[in-house]
Amino acid sequence: MFPEYTQYGALDNVQFDFDLNDGDFGLIDFYNSQNLLPELHEHLTEQNNVHFDADSGIAMGAEAYHRSSLSAWKPSHGDYAGNDHENLSIPQTIDSPEASVTSDRQILCERLSPSGRDRIFGMVLETSQKAHLSRIMRSFPSTDLLDGLIQQYFNIQKHGVDSWVHGPTFQPNEQEPAILGALAAAAAVRSTVPTIRKLGYSLAEIFESDNSITRDLRISQAYSLTIDVGIWSGNRRRTEIAESFTQPLVTMLRRALRFRRSVYTMIVPLVEDTGEALERMWREWVEQESFKR
């Protein structure tokens, strides 16, 4: 118990009273009567003897704030999402097997197919600026590069504390292009290659326009990934826009009754359940848990 105190012998000869009586401050009296934290006391004494330039500290903090993506963003005429669409094209020197900008490790049960890449490409063409179309069509990321980014996202997610896209049931070639693009973007923005990072931010700004699928799990996940990319982008414009789009996601989930306990059913397999029945129940359970996360 209490490792930060036990190393100083704080629990030696302490009589705990768990009767929870009001006004029982015996433990506090014990701590006050003991010199339990000599090192901390000496450290605080030394700090009090050191002169601190408050004005200098405030100035440094203000400067750090102004340089961060959390400070005020002053929009200009040239600030819009279409500005980044030119970054949806990748030079051959990067998008080639020799470049190895992404891991070739397969995390998912399957690889992204050329048709899956074409669906992402089609979504991009629907929303891209005409001025950039010819360039995008000539050098849009290959199937291998997009697949490598998607696989890499799930590899990154394994080491996170807030993973919420279930990998074992994710089949890239059966998914909507919005979630595929969002996953590729989420991995790309973590790349050490500037061109790949720019690609990630560009993909993140290709939004799904069909509002009839707002109840779909994958679209909600794609929306969440897009917001996550923007908030942590370090760019004032992207950060502010991502913050402003957070509430619609909450509204979508609320309208879908995803905050109600009654919507989630108990899924318990029986001994006699086999084959397709077990597979169906497992996938239903995964979808429910994914919405919770």
Side-chain angles (χ1 to χ4, degrees), residues 67-70 153 156 161-162 164 185-191 197-198 200-201 204-205 223-244 246:
R67 291 186 178 186
S68 74
S69 61
L70 301 176
Y153 172 80
I156 294 171
V161 296
D162 58 346
W164 39 268
V189 297
R190 293 172 168 84
S191 174
R197 283 202 305 274
K198 292 178 181 179
Y201 289 123
E205 293 186 335
Y223 202 157
S224 299
L225 285 166
T226 303
I227 291 174
D228 188 68
V229 168
I231 285 180
W232 297 103
S233 66
N235 177 278
R236 292 184 180 90
R237 179 181 67 83
R238 293 192 183 100
T239 300
E240 182 173 323
I241 291 174
E243 286 181 357
S244 66
T246 302

Side-chain angles (χ1 to χ4, degrees), residues 21 106 132 205 247 255:
N21 297 324
Q106 182 173 343
H132 305 304
E205 293 186 335
Q247 184 58 41
R255 289 287 187 174

Side-chain angles (χ1 to χ4, degrees), residues 3-291:
E4 65 270 29
Y5 295 128
T6 53
Q7 60 180 316
Y8 294 108
L11 299 184
D12 295 344
N13 303 318
V14 176
Q15 300 298 320
F16 285 102
D17 181 3
F18 293 106
D19 292 337
L20 303 180
N21 297 324
D22 291 340
D24 184 1
F25 301 109
L27 186 60
I28 295 178
D29 291 339
F30 172 80
Y31 281 128
N32 289 337
S33 64
Q34 304 291 321
N35 187 18
L36 298 175
L37 304 175
E39 290 90 344
L40 178 61
H41 175 72
E42 293 174 4
H43 177 64
L44 293 176
T45 303
E46 292 175 0
Q47 279 191 331
N48 291 333
N49 293 331
V50 176
H51 175 69
F52 178 69
D53 188 346
D55 292 338
S56 176
I58 293 173
M60 290 174 62
E63 179 64 19
Y65 172 76
H66 286 305
R67 291 186 178 186
S68 74
S69 61
L70 301 176
S71 63
W73 165 55
K74 297 179 181 179
S76 65
H77 180 70
D79 284 329
Y80 63 101
N83 261 348
D84 290 333
H85 286 188
E86 62 180 15
N87 296 320
L88 291 167
S89 58
I90 298 295
Q92 187 64 32
T93 54
I94 291 180
D95 193 359
S96 65
E98 295 78 16
S100 300
V101 294
T102 60
S103 173
D104 59 356
R105 182 182 178 189
Q106 182 173 343
I107 305 297
L108 303 177
C109 61
E110 63 184 18
R111 293 281 191 182
L112 181 69
S113 67
S115 62
R117 181 259 188 190
D118 291 342
R119 286 186 285 117
I120 301 174
F121 187 33
M123 180 185 67
V124 169
L125 292 179
E126 288 179 0
T127 55
S128 294
Q129 300 291 319
K130 291 183 178 180
H132 305 304
L133 283 180
S134 60
R135 181 177 178 181
I136 294 173
M137 293 178 70
R138 284 197 309 270
S139 52
F140 189 72
S142 66
T143 303
D144 289 340
L145 177 58
L146 291 173
D147 174 71
L149 290 171
I150 293 171
Q151 303 281 346
Q152 192 170 4
Y153 172 80
F154 285 94
N155 188 39
I156 294 171
Q157 183 182 246
K158 286 166 55 179
H159 305 287
V161 296
D162 58 346
S163 59
W164 39 268
V165 183
H166 192 248
T169 55
F170 191 89
Q171 296 174 287
N173 300 309
E174 298 180 6
Q175 307 300 329
E176 292 293 326
I179 183 64
L180 296 176
L183 289 169
V189 297
R190 293 172 168 84
S191 174
T192 58
V193 181
T195 303
I196 299 297
R197 283 202 305 274
K198 292 178 181 179
L199 169 67
Y201 289 123
S202 300
L203 280 173
E205 293 186 335
I206 303 296
F207 292 102
E208 173 63 53
S209 58
D210 184 1
N211 291 330
S212 65
I213 53 177
T214 55
R215 300 297 183 264
D216 184 78
L217 171 65
R218 296 304 186 201
I219 297 303
S220 297
Q221 290 176 332
Y223 202 157
S224 299
L225 285 166
T226 303
I227 291 174
D228 188 68
V229 168
I231 285 180
W232 297 103
S233 66
N235 177 278
R236 292 184 180 90
R237 179 181 67 83
R238 293 192 183 100
T239 300
E240 182 173 323
I241 291 174
E243 286 181 357
S244 66
F245 276 95
T246 302
Q247 184 58 41
L249 175 61
V250 176
T251 301
M252 286 164 51
L253 294 173
R254 179 174 58 81
R255 289 287 187 174
L257 308 180
R258 288 297 169 183
F259 295 124
R260 290 190 182 182
R261 183 186 298 271
S262 59
V263 172
Y264 301 95
T265 60
M266 289 292 294
I267 301 176
V268 181
L270 303 176
V271 176
E272 58 269 21
D273 291 331
T274 59
E276 293 183 1
L278 277 178
E279 178 76 13
R280 185 182 65 255
M281 282 190 287
W282 179 53
R283 291 186 178 276
E284 289 176 356
W285 180 84
V286 167
E287 180 161 326
Q288 284 195 162
E289 292 301 311
S290 297
F291 267 117

